[in-house]
Amino acid sequence: QVQLQESGPGLVKPSQTLSLTCTVSGGSISSGSYYWSWIRQPAGKGLEWIGRIYTSGSTNYNPSLKSRVTISVDTSKNQFSLKLSSVTAADTAVYYCARTSGYEDYWGQGTLVTVSS
Amino acid sequence: DIQMTQSPSSLSASVGDRVTITCQASQDISNYLNWYQQKPGKAPKLLIYDASNLETGVPSRFSGSGSGTDFTFTISSLQPEDIATYYCQQYDNLPLVFGGGTKVEIK
């Protein structure tokens, strides 16, 4: 059973870079034809797709965030990561990582990141 | 970007009722449409993929239909544990886009 777990600071100051890691267990991040995705959800609002990375390292980003987002993968640690630069209060949200194969079939539990000074 | 219009935004129904949620895409997305259930404080859970395929382990009272631009999600007999917010999602084109969500409550 594949499991995903997000980790990283819960509080980030405005203008700084948000950094999160998703650790995958129960299977190799390199096996199968999967994308590994980041999705976020501001409190009381809907889901926003941030971007994804393929096991080859190729990436796709939401154009609304593209200039600030970097997703990378570390196959040796079975992890993938999200960096979001120049954050503002509007980036405060629960951030989820997920495995994607057309649909997101496995999700992390989510981690709340608050942007505040 | 493809826009996904989901309706209603909320509904209240009795246990045993048939519940229907619709999702309309701003352009043809074939059957590249998924449905998720999200309970408070939890991650979304995949229920239906490719418009009409039931994810393994999901109760058969959940179903989906449609293709092109118009899609329907149905709970045939609402149960107390179905209280949640439901989202559609298109994956025909990037960026992937979710509908605005439908909050389902018990009357």
Side-chain angles (χ1 to χ4, degrees):
Chain A
Q1 173 87 352
V2 175
Q3 293 183 313
L4 295 88
Q5 177 69 58
E6 305 89 351
S7 60
L11 181 64
V12 181
K13 289 182 167 50
S15 80
Q16 294 191 341
T17 296
L18 177 161
S19 296
L20 295 175
T21 296
C22 183
T23 301
V24 179
S25 59
S28 171
I29 201 169
S30 301
S31 66
S33 300
Y34 299 112
Y35 289 94
W36 301 91
S37 301
W38 288 98
I39 293 157
R40 70 180 183 178
Q41 185 173 38
K45 296 189 177 180
L47 299 160
E48 181 182 29
W49 179 74
I50 299 171
R52 66 187 187 185
I53 189 164
Y54 195 58
T55 50
S56 65
S58 66
T59 54
N60 303 112
Y61 299 133
N62 192 322
S64 68
L65 299 168
K66 186 175 183 177
S67 63
R68 300 193 290 131
V69 172
T70 302
I71 297 175
S72 58
V73 64
D74 186 337
T75 55
S76 67
K77 294 182 178 179
N78 230 33
Q79 295 175 334
F80 63 106
S81 299
L82 168 70
K83 291 189 186 298
L84 181 65
S85 64
S86 305
V87 297
T88 70
D91 295 310
T92 294
V94 174
Y95 285 74
Y96 295 100
C97 59
R99 189 182 82 167
T100 302
S101 55
Y103 42 79
E104 281 71 41
D105 55 357
Y106 290 98
W107 295 68
Q109 65 185 22
T111 188
L112 174 63
V113 178
T114 301
V115 179
S116 175
S117 55
Chain B
D1 298 3
I2 294 176
Q3 305 305 312
M4 303 301 294
T5 303
Q6 194 174 333
S7 62
S9 57
S10 65
L11 65 88
S12 182
S14 299
V15 173
D17 281 356
R18 184 181 184 87
V19 168
T20 298
I21 298 168
T22 64
C23 189
Q24 184 171 58
S26 59
Q27 66 186 66
D28 190 337
I29 59 169
S30 185
N31 67 330
Y32 298 120
L33 189 285
N34 305 316
W35 290 97
Y36 298 88
Q37 175 194 66
Q38 186 179 34
K39 296 184 177 180
K42 300 294 187 181
K45 174 187 175 183
L46 177 69
L47 298 182
I48 303 285
Y49 62 94
D50 296 346
S52 61
N53 293 299
L54 195 66
E55 172 70 340
T56 302
V58 174
S60 59
R61 65 180 179 274
F62 297 102
S63 65
S65 64
S67 67
T69 61
D70 295 302
F71 301 87
T72 300
F73 173 81
T74 300
I75 307 173
S76 61
S77 176
L78 185 67
Q79 300 301 304
E81 61 267 32
D82 300 335
I83 300 313
T85 300
Y86 294 84
Y87 294 93
C88 61
Q89 178 211 38
Q90 72 81 22
Y91 69 100
D92 182 51
N93 279 347
L94 296 179
L96 306 185
V97 174
F98 293 87
T102 298
K103 187 174 184 179
V104 174
E105 297 176 323
I106 294 287
K107 191 181 295 182

